Amino acid sequence: MYHQVVSELIRSLKTVEIWLDKAEQHADVKRFDVGVLLTSRLAPDMHDFIYQVQSACDYVKAAPAWLSGQTPPSHEDTEQSIADLRARIRKTIDFAESVNEAQYTGASKRKVKLSWAPGKVIGGENYLLQIAVPNTYFHLAMAYAILRHNGVEVGKKDFLGPIDWVNV
Amino acid sequence: MYHQVVSELIRSLKTVEIWLDKAEQHADVKRFDVGVLLTSRLAPDMHDFIYQVQSACDYVKAAPAWLSGQTPPSHEDTEQSIADLRARIRKTIDFAESVNEAQYTGASKRKVKLSWAPGKVIGGENYLLQIAVPNTYFHLAMAYAILRHNGVEVGKKDFLGPIDWVNV
């Protein structure tokens, strides 16, 4: 299951590139600097769009790393433009896709330590389903909501991304 | 995996009851009718808080049903108050928790048909990971964002809910 679940997180992260296209188009039509969207937030004490994307990337990077016994590669939070965010997403996906199914062998027996939870560890399965999945979707959804709230024409299908339907 | 993943969706849906507590407290302190929050939305052409909770409930109900070969119980969208929403969440959880691990046997071989995708079906695993999980978190996150945007003091920990840490 580890490889499949992480693959779906990767699939979801890829949808952000479509949102970025739509954000650029919207700013262009309305003639404002797209940077305004990148630093927008839903509440003054919430993080901005750039942070939400960085954070989603961090979970999509960390899950395959910890669950395959690796330390996640370090990606500094220096993004300021759409191009920077695209590069961040791509390097995240490149790493996450580099972890093949066999490398998740024993993932359920791993204990993961997180910097924000000192003195605690969590088992591999709970880490994946209680931390990595909800956090990835939380930050993706907040990024989506910031754009949507500001008029960018993203829709639920853009959030879900391509679905492997079977035609009948 | 089916039982575990659905259990985590249930766990996440349960967190909404804490958000409702905080919404009630906020409306009380600020002296406004909590109903204002329930009909708030992030954009004029987005759905309101009540719909977001109903929709999250629907995915948490549908996944265990279809994946165990059952038709989901019908829950009408008639909720108007916090008490109504609590009842909706509870009947959703009661049903979802009634499906035990053994009932998911063969889930990966099931084909699921969805009303909004005529002429198509989807395999059990893709249904769970590409439809049920992202949609549940999408609607939960939108509900959370509506409250957060309107000043309710929910935080990320309220979104994640209880985590099965192991003390070291």
Side-chain angles (χ1 to χ4, degrees), chain A residues 21-34:
Chain A
D21 294 342
K22 293 195 171 187
E24 284 181 311
Q25 286 156 18
H26 182 73
D28 198 40
V29 168
K30 297 280 185 185
R31 298 186 189 184
F32 68 81
D33 178 357
V34 72

Side-chain angles (χ1 to χ4, degrees), chain B:
Chain B
M1 125 172 128
Y2 294 87
H3 186 253
Q4 289 102 299
V5 173
V6 171
S7 298
E8 297 305 334
L9 297 182
I10 294 168
R11 198 184 52 80
S12 290
L13 180 60
K14 284 180 179 169
T15 63
V16 177
E17 292 232 43
I18 306 289
W19 314 352
L20 295 176
D21 294 342
K22 293 196 171 187
E24 283 181 311
Q25 286 157 16
H26 182 72
D28 199 41
V29 169
K30 298 280 183 183
R31 298 185 189 183
F32 67 83
D33 178 356
V34 72
V36 174
L37 292 173
L38 303 188
T39 54
S40 289
R41 45 191 96 222
L42 288 178
D45 56 345
M46 279 185 87
H47 290 291
D48 66 10
F49 180 84
I50 289 176
Y51 175 93
Q52 304 295 348
V53 175
Q54 289 168 335
S55 199
C57 284
D58 279 345
Y59 285 100
V60 176
K61 171 186 80 174
W66 297 128
L67 293 170
S68 64
Q70 301 177 66
T71 299
S74 170
H75 292 166
E76 272 189 78
D77 293 331
T78 53
E79 290 77 14
Q80 293 189 313
S81 68
I82 295 252
D84 293 344
L85 287 177
R86 291 189 194 277
R88 174 71 172 257
I89 291 166
R90 287 172 194 175
K91 70 182 170 185
T92 299
I93 291 169
D94 284 347
F95 170 74
E97 288 184 338
S98 77
V99 181
N100 64 44
E101 192 156 2
Q103 290 175 273
Y104 290 99
T105 307
S108 61
K109 295 202 178 60
R110 294 192 188 278
K111 297 273 181 277
V112 179
K113 202 182 287 185
L114 296 161
S115 58
W116 47 274
K120 292 171 180 174
V121 295
I122 187 165
E125 182 181 305
N126 288 330
Y127 165 66
L128 180 67
L129 299 180
Q130 296 182 354
I131 306 272
V133 170
N135 272 294
T136 300
Y137 284 116
F138 177 86
H139 291 291
L140 288 178
M142 291 308 130
Y144 173 99
I146 289 168
L147 298 184
R148 190 71 171 74
H149 177 64
N150 283 287
V152 177
E153 291 198 353
V154 285
K156 173 81 97 56
K157 283 185 183 169
D158 298 314
F159 185 86
L160 294 179
I163 290 175
D164 294 324
W165 297 107
V166 181
N167 287 307
V168 286

Side-chain angles (χ1 to χ4, degrees), chain A residues 14-63:
Chain A
K14 284 180 180 170
T15 64
V16 178
E17 291 233 42
I18 306 289
W19 313 352
L20 294 176
D21 294 342
K22 293 195 171 187
E24 284 181 311
Q25 286 156 18
H26 182 73
D28 198 40
V29 168
K30 297 280 185 185
R31 298 186 189 184
F32 68 81
D33 178 357
V34 72
V36 174
L37 292 173
L38 302 188
T39 54
S40 288
R41 47 191 95 222
L42 288 177
D45 56 344
M46 279 184 87
H47 290 290
D48 67 10
F49 180 85
I50 289 176
Y51 176 94
Q52 304 295 347
V53 175
Q54 289 167 336
S55 198
C57 283
D58 279 346
Y59 285 101
V60 176
K61 172 186 79 174

Side-chain angles (χ1 to χ4, degrees), chain A residues 14-142:
Chain A
K14 284 180 180 170
T15 64
V16 178
E17 291 233 42
I18 306 289
W19 313 352
L20 294 176
D21 294 342
K22 293 195 171 187
E24 284 181 311
Q25 286 156 18
H26 182 73
D28 198 40
V29 168
K30 297 280 185 185
R31 298 186 189 184
F32 68 81
D33 178 357
V34 72
V36 174
L37 292 173
L38 302 188
T39 54
S40 288
R41 47 191 95 222
L42 288 177
D45 56 344
M46 279 184 87
H47 290 290
D48 67 10
F49 180 85
I50 289 176
Y51 176 94
Q52 304 295 347
V53 175
Q54 289 167 336
S55 198
C57 283
D58 279 346
Y59 285 101
V60 176
K61 172 186 79 174
W66 296 127
L67 293 169
S68 64
Q70 301 176 66
T71 299
S74 169
H75 292 167
E76 273 189 78
D77 294 332
T78 53
E79 289 77 14
Q80 293 189 312
S81 67
I82 295 252
D84 292 345
L85 288 176
R86 291 190 194 277
R88 174 69 174 258
I89 291 167
R90 287 172 193 176
K91 71 183 172 185
T92 299
I93 291 169
D94 283 347
F95 171 75
E97 289 185 337
S98 78
V99 180
N100 64 46
E101 193 156 1
Q103 290 176 273
Y104 290 99
T105 307
S108 62
K109 295 203 178 61
R110 294 191 187 280
K111 297 273 181 278
V112 178
K113 202 181 289 184
L114 295 160
S115 58
W116 47 274
K120 293 172 179 172
V121 294
I122 186 166
E125 183 180 306
N126 287 331
Y127 166 66
L128 181 66
L129 299 180
Q130 296 183 354
I131 306 271
V133 170
N135 272 294
T136 299
Y137 285 116
F138 177 85
H139 291 290
L140 288 178
M142 291 307 130

